[in-house]
Amino acid sequence: MLAKKTGFILVALFVIVLQACGQKSDKEKKQMKNNNLELATFGAGCFWCVEAIFQRVDGVEKVVSGYSGGHVKNPSYKEVCNGTTGHAEVCQLSYDPDEVSYEELLEIFWQTHDPTTLNRQGNDVGTQYRSVVFYHNEKQKELAEKYKAELDEADIYNDPIVTEISEFEKMYVAENYHQNYFNENGSQPYCSFVIQPKVDKFKKVFKDKLKN
């Protein structure tokens, strides 16, 4: 009888151990997810607009605004706006490729700005507002070049696409007040008249890619 009871106890302990091994803490799950994240870096005019779009994409975990592609170290917003540093205003995305692919990000990128206007988006003029894909690996480079070529061949736009495709080297994070700008300053005139219409259009066209 004692042996039988001991056997039941051992089986119960074994089941508990298996359940404990199969369950991961929230911290462990978050760490696993973070390890799976990849980077994508895009410039498509004012980074306030780009940030507002990609923050709403399902699978994009984080968006950071900054400056990339120039020759000046640690540039300020004022310096970049002067157009003398060579930097473009960009947003760097940390995304989960299991939830949103790089191809889908490229689709959103090219459909949410005008890639045919050189160094300009609307009233924002200067090299800092250029259309650019900064690729992080050869796969991203191949996909970006392929997508760009297919768009040109399909005559989607009246003019040729001028989007720059360059290797990512470094990004300098923009000042704190630029981060999460639209979400925190939605009532500002630029947000109301420029960013909000872009966000509204994005939501209609890409409703299947929105975060819940």
Side-chain angles (χ1 to χ4, degrees):
M1 184 68 179
L2 180 61
K4 188 175 182 180
K5 188 175 182 181
T6 302
F8 281 132
I9 293 174
L10 290 174
V11 170
L13 288 173
F14 182 67
V15 171
I16 292 172
V17 170
L18 283 178
Q19 290 177 339
C21 291
Q23 293 176 348
K24 296 183 181 299
S25 67
D26 290 340
K27 184 176 181 180
E28 287 175 316
K29 290 178 181 177
K30 185 176 181 181
Q31 185 62 45
M32 287 178 66
K33 189 169 187 178
N34 288 341
N35 289 339
N36 190 45
L37 297 183
E38 296 183 6
L39 296 177
T41 305
F42 302 123
C46 174
F47 47 22
W48 298 343
C49 299
V50 182
E51 177 191 61
I53 294 294
F54 283 105
Q55 281 181 329
R56 286 154 177 76
V57 177
D58 191 26
V60 174
E61 298 296 321
K62 185 178 181 182
V63 182
V64 179
S65 293
Y67 315 113
S68 191
H71 56 271
V72 175
K73 292 183 178 180
N74 298 311
S76 67
Y77 180 63
K78 184 177 180 180
E79 289 175 320
V80 173
C81 284
N82 286 334
T84 59
T85 70
H87 290 286
E89 290 190 11
V90 300
C91 284
Q92 188 166 92
L93 325 177
S94 298
Y95 70 97
D96 186 343
D98 291 334
E99 296 183 24
V100 61
S101 68
Y102 189 70
E103 293 96 319
E104 290 174 307
L105 295 178
L106 286 173
E107 180 185 6
I108 294 169
F109 164 75
W110 263 303
Q111 288 198 44
T112 52
H113 80 292
D114 185 350
T116 68
T117 52
L118 185 63
N119 301 326
R120 178 174 187 165
Q121 286 298 306
N123 293 324
D124 294 325
V125 181
T127 56
Q128 67 271 28
Y129 300 116
R130 66 188 183 271
S131 175
V132 55
V133 174
F134 287 110
Y135 59 85
H136 289 260
N137 52 55
E138 285 301 308
K139 184 63 175 177
Q140 287 189 357
K141 178 184 179 182
E142 291 173 9
L143 290 171
E145 290 178 342
K146 179 183 177 183
Y147 205 123
K148 179 181 176 181
E150 289 176 349
L151 286 174
D152 268 330
E153 290 172 6
D155 289 328
I156 300 296
Y157 304 97
N158 294 325
D159 300 305
I161 293 174
V162 296
T163 303
E164 171 190 337
I165 299 176
S166 298
E167 183 177 7
F168 176 83
E169 293 183 357
K170 186 175 181 61
M171 186 186 83
Y172 296 96
V173 177
E175 294 82 347
N176 286 337
Y177 69 90
H178 288 300
Q179 311 301 328
N180 203 35
Y181 191 85
F182 176 69
N183 292 339
E184 296 181 359
N185 302 276
S187 61
Q188 294 292 335
Y190 188 89
C191 293
S192 299
F193 294 108
V194 179
I195 304 178
Q196 187 66 62
K198 288 189 175 186
V199 171
D200 291 342
K201 182 179 179 181
F202 161 73
K203 287 181 176 179
K204 290 180 181 178
V205 177
F206 294 98
K207 56 185 177 181
D208 60 324
K209 292 182 172 61
L210 293 174
K211 290 179 177 176
N212 295 325

